[in-house]
Amino acid sequence: MYNIVLFGPPGAGKGTQSEKLIEKYDLTHLSTGDLFRKHLGEGTALGELAKKYMNEGRLVPDEVVISMVEEKIAESKNTKGFIFDGFPRTTAQAQALDSMLERHDMSISGMIALDVPESVLKERIKERGKTSGRVDDQDEEKINTRISVYFQETLPVAAYYEKQGKFTKINGVGTIQGIFNDIAHVIDSY
Ligand code: AMP
């Protein structure tokens, strides 16, 4: 079983690589951003709550994210493991994830961080905004907020896994296939 945290700033390629990884390793894709967008689309109370944070590029409060992930893990019985994409984004979320997995007799295999320079991230997000329909991909100020939230609130999560000897950094600039091969190489070493 593999439980992988795919880490990196917005626009690093986590979603793209997750799609390929779940196919190769038969894993469950758990993207908190995708789950929130689904709730938004369905007009649920959770979607309404998350909306204002998402539209401003800020983080949804930890307890809301954590209970949503908890539910998703509980309903994914008999899975071969998870790719966590866009979660955990704070150290409180990382600690909660460890406890949740422990309750289900699982643990994190490792965190794989995609390293991409800030100028490339901004270009990628703007390009994605042309087709994603995401409000938060289309506005320069929101893009900048998301990137600064990443550096201030999310980057410490890397140190959390580094302390556990579970951190690997990968160059996130290159061809999709080349980056995928590098990630697969790390996973195969777990
Ligand atoms: P993403 O698709 O991962 O870029 O997420 C889109 C937005 O959803 C973020 O800008 C946050 O507002 C919210 N979000 C997604 N995942 C999380 C998380 N783990 N913690 C807090 N907010 C999140």
Side-chain angles (χ1 to χ4, degrees):
M1 169 174 263
Y2 297 120
N3 290 305
I4 293 146
V5 176
L6 195 56
F7 189 72
K14 302 185 295 293
T16 304
Q17 293 297 336
S18 291
E19 290 304 332
K20 291 171 72 67
L21 290 166
I22 54 167
E23 208 174 291
K24 179 172 166 79
Y25 295 98
D26 197 12
L27 301 174
T28 302
H29 185 196
L30 202 161
S31 157
T32 43
D34 285 353
L35 289 173
F36 281 132
R37 279 183 288 278
K38 188 162 181 277
H39 278 280
L40 258 177
E42 291 169 356
T44 67
L46 179 57
E48 269 311 303
L49 197 159
K51 191 176 177 176
K52 67 173 191 294
Y53 297 98
M54 294 177 78
N55 285 347
E56 289 172 14
R58 289 157 56 219
L59 295 185
V60 177
D62 283 338
E63 59 277 15
V64 177
V65 187
I66 290 165
S67 59
M68 182 176 74
V69 171
E70 187 128 43
E71 199 175 294
K72 180 79 185 169
I73 291 178
E75 70 188 32
S76 306
K77 299 227 179 338
N78 304 321
T79 183
K80 291 188 176 157
F82 292 92
I83 298 273
F84 295 99
D85 162 7
F87 178 87
R89 258 176 158 99
T90 62
T91 21
Q93 291 180 17
Q95 281 159 351
L97 179 60
D98 274 349
S99 322
M100 275 184 244
L101 291 177
E102 208 178 310
R103 283 199 290 277
H104 293 273
D105 288 321
M106 296 188 280
S107 63
I108 289 295
S109 316
M111 165 188 269
I112 301 173
L114 297 171
D115 189 29
V116 178
E118 206 171 318
S119 57
V120 178
L121 297 174
K122 289 184 181 168
E123 281 315 309
R124 283 190 190 170
I125 297 172
K126 270 191 252 171
E127 199 51 40
R128 182 172 70 188
K130 290 179 188 166
T131 52
S132 69
R134 284 177 56 174
V135 187
D136 61 347
D137 278 349
Q138 292 170 23
D139 177 311
E140 187 102 31
E141 196 184 317
K142 285 173 187 147
I143 296 172
N144 287 337
T145 306
R146 284 159 68 205
I147 292 175
S148 64
V149 164
Y150 169 79
F151 283 110
Q152 284 166 24
E153 299 182 53
T154 302
L155 200 52
V157 179
Y160 178 88
Y161 289 101
E162 204 160 16
K163 268 186 219 140
Q164 297 185 12
K166 291 182 175 178
F167 176 80
T168 310
K169 188 151 85 178
I170 295 272
N171 180 6
V173 181
T175 63
I176 290 174
Q177 189 59 39
I179 298 165
F180 177 69
N181 292 343
D182 289 348
I183 298 174
H185 187 73
V186 176
I187 295 177
D188 292 337
S189 74
Y190 289 151

Coordinates of all heavy atoms in Angstrom, one line a residue, residues 39-96:
H39 N -18.5 20.2 -4.1 CA -19.5 20.7 -3.2 C -20.0 22.1 -3.7 O -21.2 22.3 -3.6 CB -18.9 20.9 -1.8 CG -18.8 19.7 -1.0 ND1 -20.0 19.2 -0.4 CD2 -17.9 18.8 -0.8 CE1 -19.7 18.0 0.3 NE2 -18.4 17.8 0.0
L40 N -19.1 22.9 -4.2 CA -19.6 24.2 -4.8 C -20.5 24.0 -5.9 O -21.6 24.6 -5.9 CB -18.3 24.9 -5.3 CG -17.7 26.1 -4.5 CD1 -16.5 26.6 -5.2 CD2 -18.8 27.2 -4.3
G41 N -20.2 23.1 -6.8 CA -21.0 22.8 -8.0 C -22.4 22.3 -7.6 O -23.4 22.6 -8.2
E42 N -22.4 21.5 -6.5 CA -23.7 20.9 -6.0 C -24.4 21.8 -5.1 O -25.5 21.5 -4.6 CB -23.4 19.5 -5.4 CG -22.9 18.5 -6.4 CD -22.4 17.2 -5.7 OE1 -22.3 17.2 -4.4 OE2 -22.0 16.3 -6.4
G43 N -23.8 22.9 -4.7 CA -24.5 23.9 -3.9 C -24.7 23.4 -2.5 O -25.7 23.8 -1.8
T44 N -23.9 22.6 -1.9 CA -24.0 22.1 -0.6 C -23.7 23.2 0.4 O -23.0 24.1 0.1 CB -23.2 20.8 -0.3 OG1 -21.8 21.3 -0.3 CG2 -23.3 19.7 -1.3
A45 N -24.0 22.9 1.7 CA -23.7 23.9 2.8 C -22.1 24.0 2.9 O -21.6 25.1 3.1 CB -24.3 23.4 4.1
L46 N -21.5 22.9 2.7 CA -20.0 22.9 2.8 C -19.4 23.7 1.7 O -18.5 24.5 1.9 CB -19.5 21.4 2.8 CG -17.9 21.2 2.8 CD1 -17.3 21.9 4.1 CD2 -17.6 19.7 2.8
G47 N -20.0 23.6 0.5 CA -19.6 24.4 -0.7 C -19.7 25.8 -0.4 O -18.9 26.7 -0.7
E48 N -20.9 26.2 0.2 CA -21.2 27.6 0.5 C -20.1 28.2 1.5 O -19.6 29.3 1.3 CB -22.6 27.7 1.1 CG -23.7 28.0 0.1 CD -23.4 29.1 -0.9 OE1 -23.1 30.2 -0.4 OE2 -23.4 28.8 -2.1
L49 N -19.8 27.3 2.5 CA -18.8 27.7 3.5 C -17.5 28.0 2.9 O -16.8 28.9 3.1 CB -18.8 26.7 4.5 CG -18.2 27.0 5.9 CD1 -18.6 26.0 6.9 CD2 -16.6 27.0 5.9
A50 N -17.1 27.0 2.0 CA -15.7 27.1 1.4 C -15.6 28.2 0.4 O -14.5 28.7 0.1 CB -15.4 25.7 0.7
K51 N -16.7 28.6 -0.3 CA -16.7 29.5 -1.4 C -15.9 30.8 -1.2 O -15.0 31.1 -2.0 CB -18.1 29.8 -1.8 CG -18.3 30.5 -3.1 CD -19.8 30.6 -3.3 CE -20.1 31.4 -4.6 NZ -21.6 31.4 -4.8
K52 N -16.2 31.4 -0.1 CA -15.6 32.7 0.1 C -14.0 32.6 0.3 O -13.3 33.4 -0.2 CB -16.2 33.5 1.2 CG -16.0 33.0 2.6 CD -16.6 34.0 3.6 CE -16.2 33.7 5.0 NZ -16.8 32.5 5.6
Y53 N -13.6 31.6 0.9 CA -12.2 31.4 1.1 C -11.5 31.0 -0.3 O -10.5 31.6 -0.6 CB -11.9 30.2 2.0 CG -12.4 30.4 3.4 CD1 -13.6 29.9 3.9 CD2 -11.6 31.2 4.3 CE1 -14.1 30.1 5.2 CE2 -12.1 31.4 5.6 CZ -13.3 30.9 6.0 OH -13.8 31.1 7.3
M54 N -12.1 30.2 -1.0 CA -11.6 29.7 -2.3 C -11.5 30.9 -3.3 O -10.5 31.1 -3.9 CB -12.4 28.6 -2.9 CG -12.4 27.4 -2.1 SD -13.5 26.1 -2.8 CE -12.5 25.5 -4.1
N55 N -12.6 31.7 -3.3 CA -12.6 32.8 -4.3 C -11.6 33.9 -3.9 O -11.2 34.6 -4.8 CB -14.0 33.4 -4.4 CG -14.9 32.5 -5.2 OD1 -14.5 31.6 -5.8 ND2 -16.2 32.7 -5.1
E56 N -11.2 33.9 -2.7 CA -10.1 34.9 -2.3 C -8.7 34.3 -2.3 O -7.8 35.0 -2.1 CB -10.4 35.4 -0.9 CG -11.6 36.3 -0.9 CD -12.0 36.7 0.5 OE1 -11.2 36.5 1.5 OE2 -13.2 37.2 0.7
G57 N -8.6 33.0 -2.5 CA -7.3 32.3 -2.6 C -6.8 32.0 -1.2 O -5.6 31.8 -1.0
R58 N -7.7 32.1 -0.2 CA -7.3 31.8 1.2 C -7.6 30.4 1.6 O -8.4 29.7 0.9 CB -8.0 32.7 2.2 CG -7.5 34.2 2.1 CD -8.5 35.2 2.6 NE -8.9 34.9 4.0 CZ -10.1 35.0 4.4 NH1 -11.1 35.4 3.6 NH2 -10.4 34.7 5.7
L59 N -7.0 29.9 2.7 CA -7.3 28.5 3.1 C -8.6 28.4 3.8 O -8.9 29.2 4.6 CB -6.1 28.0 4.0 CG -4.7 27.9 3.4 CD1 -3.8 27.2 4.4 CD2 -4.7 27.0 2.1
V60 N -9.3 27.3 3.5 CA -10.5 26.9 4.2 C -10.1 26.5 5.6 O -9.0 25.9 5.7 CB -11.2 25.8 3.4 CG1 -12.5 25.3 4.2 CG2 -11.6 26.3 2.0
P61 N -10.8 26.8 6.7 CA -10.4 26.5 8.0 C -10.1 25.0 8.2 O -10.8 24.1 7.6 CB -11.6 26.9 8.9 CG -12.2 27.9 8.2 CD -12.1 27.6 6.7
D62 N -9.0 24.7 9.0 CA -8.5 23.3 9.2 C -9.6 22.3 9.5 O -9.7 21.2 8.9 CB -7.5 23.3 10.3 CG -6.1 23.8 9.8 OD1 -5.9 23.8 8.6 OD2 -5.3 24.2 10.7
E63 N -10.5 22.7 10.5 CA -11.5 21.7 11.0 C -12.4 21.3 9.8 O -12.9 20.1 9.8 CB -12.2 22.1 12.2 CG -13.0 23.4 12.1 CD -12.2 24.7 12.2 OE1 -11.0 24.7 12.2 OE2 -12.8 25.8 12.4
V64 N -12.7 22.2 8.9 CA -13.6 21.9 7.8 C -13.0 20.9 6.8 O -13.5 19.9 6.4 CB -14.0 23.2 7.1 CG1 -14.9 22.9 5.9 CG2 -14.7 24.2 8.0
V65 N -11.7 21.2 6.5 CA -11.0 20.4 5.6 C -10.8 19.0 6.2 O -11.0 18.0 5.5 CB -9.6 21.0 5.3 CG1 -8.9 20.2 4.2 CG2 -9.7 22.5 4.9
I66 N -10.4 19.0 7.4 CA -10.0 17.7 8.1 C -11.3 16.8 8.1 O -11.2 15.6 7.8 CB -9.5 17.9 9.5 CG1 -8.1 18.6 9.4 CG2 -9.4 16.6 10.3 CD1 -7.5 19.2 10.7
S67 N -12.4 17.3 8.5 CA -13.6 16.4 8.6 C -14.0 15.9 7.2 O -14.5 14.8 7.0 CB -14.8 17.0 9.3 OG -15.1 18.2 8.7
M68 N -13.8 16.8 6.2 CA -14.1 16.3 4.8 C -13.2 15.1 4.4 O -13.6 14.2 3.8 CB -14.0 17.5 3.8 CG -14.3 17.2 2.4 SD -14.3 18.6 1.3 CE -12.5 18.9 1.2
V69 N -11.9 15.3 4.7 CA -10.9 14.2 4.4 C -11.2 12.9 5.1 O -11.2 11.8 4.6 CB -9.5 14.7 4.6 CG1 -8.5 13.6 4.5 CG2 -9.1 15.8 3.7
E70 N -11.6 13.1 6.4 CA -11.9 12.0 7.3 C -13.0 11.1 6.7 O -12.9 9.9 6.6 CB -12.3 12.5 8.6 CG -12.5 11.5 9.7 CD -11.7 11.7 11.0 OE1 -11.7 12.9 11.4 OE2 -11.1 10.8 11.5
E71 N -14.0 11.8 6.2 CA -15.2 11.2 5.6 C -14.8 10.4 4.3 O -15.1 9.3 4.1 CB -16.2 12.3 5.2 CG -17.6 11.8 5.0 CD -18.5 13.0 4.7 OE1 -18.7 13.8 5.7 OE2 -19.0 13.1 3.6
K72 N -13.9 11.0 3.5 CA -13.5 10.4 2.3 C -12.6 9.2 2.5 O -12.8 8.1 1.9 CB -12.7 11.5 1.5 CG -12.2 11.0 0.1 CD -13.2 11.0 -1.0 CE -12.6 10.4 -2.2 NZ -13.6 10.1 -3.2
I73 N -11.8 9.3 3.5 CA -10.9 8.1 3.9 C -11.8 7.0 4.4 O -11.7 5.8 4.0 CB -9.9 8.5 5.0 CG1 -8.8 9.4 4.3 CG2 -9.2 7.2 5.5 CD1 -7.8 9.9 5.3
A74 N -12.8 7.3 5.3 CA -13.7 6.3 5.8 C -14.5 5.6 4.7 O -14.8 4.4 4.8 CB -14.6 6.9 6.9
E75 N -14.9 6.3 3.7 CA -15.7 5.6 2.7 C -14.9 4.9 1.6 O -15.4 4.2 0.7 CB -16.7 6.7 2.0 CG -16.0 7.7 1.1 CD -17.0 8.8 0.7 OE1 -17.9 9.2 1.4 OE2 -16.8 9.3 -0.4
S76 N -13.5 5.1 1.6 CA -12.7 4.5 0.6 C -12.2 3.1 1.1 O -10.9 3.0 1.3 CB -11.6 5.4 0.2 OG -12.0 6.6 -0.2
K77 N -13.1 2.2 1.4 CA -12.6 0.9 2.0 C -12.0 0.1 0.8 O -12.3 0.3 -0.3 CB -13.9 0.2 2.5 CG -14.6 0.9 3.6 CD -14.8 -0.1 4.8 CE -15.5 0.6 6.0 NZ -15.5 2.0 6.2
N78 N -11.1 -0.8 1.2 CA -10.4 -1.7 0.3 C -9.5 -0.9 -0.8 O -9.3 -1.5 -1.8 CB -11.4 -2.6 -0.5 CG -12.2 -3.4 0.5 OD1 -11.7 -3.8 1.5 ND2 -13.5 -3.5 0.2
T79 N -9.2 0.3 -0.5 CA -8.3 1.0 -1.4 C -6.9 0.5 -1.3 O -6.5 0.0 -0.3 CB -8.3 2.5 -1.2 OG1 -7.5 3.2 -2.2 CG2 -7.8 2.9 0.2
K80 N -6.1 0.7 -2.4 CA -4.7 0.3 -2.4 C -3.8 1.4 -1.9 O -2.6 1.3 -1.8 CB -4.2 -0.2 -3.8 CG -4.9 -1.5 -4.2 CD -4.3 -2.0 -5.5 CE -4.9 -3.3 -5.9 NZ -4.8 -3.6 -7.3
G81 N -4.5 2.5 -1.5 CA -3.8 3.7 -1.0 C -4.3 5.0 -1.6 O -5.1 4.9 -2.5
F82 N -3.7 6.1 -1.1 CA -4.2 7.4 -1.5 C -3.1 8.2 -2.1 O -1.9 8.2 -1.7 CB -4.7 8.1 -0.3 CG -6.0 7.6 0.3 CD1 -5.9 6.6 1.3 CD2 -7.2 7.9 -0.2 CE1 -7.1 6.1 1.9 CE2 -8.4 7.4 0.3 CZ -8.3 6.5 1.4
I83 N -3.5 9.1 -3.1 CA -2.6 10.2 -3.4 C -3.3 11.4 -2.8 O -4.4 11.8 -3.2 CB -2.5 10.4 -5.0 CG1 -1.9 9.2 -5.7 CG2 -1.8 11.7 -5.3 CD1 -0.4 9.2 -5.8
F84 N -2.7 12.0 -1.9 CA -3.2 13.3 -1.3 C -2.7 14.5 -2.1 O -1.4 14.6 -2.2 CB -2.8 13.4 0.2 CG -3.4 12.3 1.0 CD1 -2.7 11.1 1.4 CD2 -4.7 12.4 1.5 CE1 -3.2 10.1 2.2 CE2 -5.3 11.4 2.2 CZ -4.5 10.2 2.6
D85 N -3.6 15.2 -2.7 CA -3.2 16.3 -3.6 C -3.9 17.6 -3.0 O -5.1 17.7 -2.9 CB -3.8 15.9 -5.0 CG -3.9 17.0 -6.0 OD1 -3.5 18.1 -5.7 OD2 -4.5 16.8 -7.1
G86 N -3.0 18.5 -2.6 CA -3.5 19.8 -2.1 C -3.9 19.6 -0.6 O -4.5 20.5 0.0
F87 N -3.5 18.6 0.0 CA -3.7 18.3 1.4 C -2.6 17.4 1.9 O -2.2 16.4 1.2 CB -5.0 17.6 1.6 CG -5.3 17.2 3.0 CD1 -6.0 18.1 3.9 CD2 -5.0 15.9 3.5 CE1 -6.2 17.7 5.2 CE2 -5.2 15.6 4.9 CZ -5.9 16.5 5.7
P88 N -2.0 17.6 3.1 CA -2.2 18.7 4.0 C -1.6 20.0 3.6 O -0.5 20.0 3.0 CB -1.6 18.1 5.3 CG -0.6 17.2 4.9 CD -1.0 16.6 3.6
R89 N -2.3 21.1 4.0 CA -1.7 22.4 3.6 C -1.3 23.2 4.8 O -0.8 24.3 4.7 CB -2.8 23.2 2.9 CG -2.7 23.3 1.4 CD -3.9 24.0 0.8 NE -3.8 24.6 -0.4 CZ -4.3 24.1 -1.6 NH1 -4.7 22.8 -1.6 NH2 -4.3 24.8 -2.7
T90 N -1.5 22.6 6.0 CA -1.0 23.2 7.3 C -0.4 22.1 8.1 O -0.8 20.9 7.9 CB -2.1 23.9 8.1 OG1 -3.1 22.9 8.5 CG2 -2.8 25.0 7.3
T91 N 0.4 22.4 9.1 CA 0.9 21.4 10.0 C -0.2 20.7 10.8 O -0.1 19.5 11.1 CB 2.1 21.8 10.9 OG1 2.0 23.2 11.0 CG2 3.4 21.5 10.3
A92 N -1.2 21.5 11.2 CA -2.3 20.9 11.9 C -3.0 19.9 11.1 O -3.4 18.8 11.5 CB -3.3 22.0 12.3
Q93 N -3.1 20.1 9.8 CA -3.8 19.1 8.9 C -2.8 17.9 8.7 O -3.3 16.8 8.7 CB -4.0 19.7 7.5 CG -5.1 20.8 7.4 CD -5.3 21.4 6.0 OE1 -4.8 20.8 5.0 NE2 -5.9 22.5 5.9
A94 N -1.5 18.1 8.7 CA -0.6 17.0 8.6 C -0.7 16.1 9.9 O -0.7 14.9 9.8 CB 0.8 17.5 8.4
Q95 N -0.8 16.7 11.0 CA -0.9 16.0 12.3 C -2.2 15.2 12.3 O -2.3 14.0 12.7 CB -0.9 16.9 13.5 CG 0.5 17.3 13.8 CD 0.6 18.6 14.7 OE1 -0.4 19.3 14.9 NE2 1.8 18.9 15.1
A96 N -3.3 15.9 11.9 CA -4.6 15.2 11.8 C -4.6 14.0 10.8 O -5.2 13.0 11.1 CB -5.7 16.2 11.4

